[in-house]
């Protein structure tokens, strides 16, 4: 299941060329991923209270067309691969007005490892948080 979230581009997120600075796309991915998890019924802050964290272990970004100040980033996110200790998310970013365009402006992926907040050792959400694992199963890409 894919979900799309709109994020307005602020002037402070652009560089001297008037385009979104490349590192800000990681922030857009993070914002969309956090909202995606919350929409599953598991806000990240609540997971942290339960002693679970999900640090990013891999980030891939490909830039195809620049976003500019005044655009709205339309960020589509989905679970591209699910394992008990690791979750991969895929992203496509388009400008709000071009949200239905064939070619995304930016594409990327993030891989997170599920860890115990106190030890930072990997844990299985399948066993520790079975309801969360089931929620992820219900939205994971069938083509994984």
């Amino acid at each position: 299941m894919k979900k799309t979230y709109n994020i307005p581009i602020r002037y402070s997120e652009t560089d001297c060329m008037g385009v979104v600075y490349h590192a800000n796309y990681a922030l857009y991915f993070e914002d969309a991923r956090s909202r995606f998890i919350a929409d599953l019924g598991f806000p990240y802050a609540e997971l942290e209270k339960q002693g679970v964290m999900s640090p990013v272990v891999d980030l891939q970004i490909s830039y195809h067309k620049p976003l500019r100040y005044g655009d709205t980033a339309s960020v589509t996110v989905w679970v591209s691969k699910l394992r008990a200790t690791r979750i991969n998310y895929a992203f496509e970013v388009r400008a709000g007005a071009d949200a239905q365009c064939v070619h995304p402006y930016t594409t990327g992926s993030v891989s997170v490892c599920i860890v115990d907040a106190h030890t930072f050792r990997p844990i299985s959400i399948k066993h520790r948080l079975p309801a969360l694992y089931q929620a992820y199963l219900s939205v994971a890409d069938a083509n994984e």
Side-chain angles (χ1 to χ4, degrees), residues 81-111:
K81 188 171 186 178
L82 174 65
R83 290 178 287 194
T85 60
R86 187 173 286 210
I87 303 165
N88 293 16
Y89 299 87
F91 301 88
E92 293 180 345
V93 181
R94 294 172 170 81
D98 289 339
Q100 301 304 317
C101 72
V102 174
H103 302 290
Y105 285 44
T106 306
T107 55
S109 63
V110 168
S111 180

Side-chain angles (χ1 to χ4, degrees), residues 62-78:
S62 296
Y63 307 95
H64 311 291
K65 185 175 178 182
L67 287 171
R68 300 180 183 280
Y69 172 66
D71 285 339
T72 297
S74 178
V75 184
T76 301
V77 57
W78 65 97

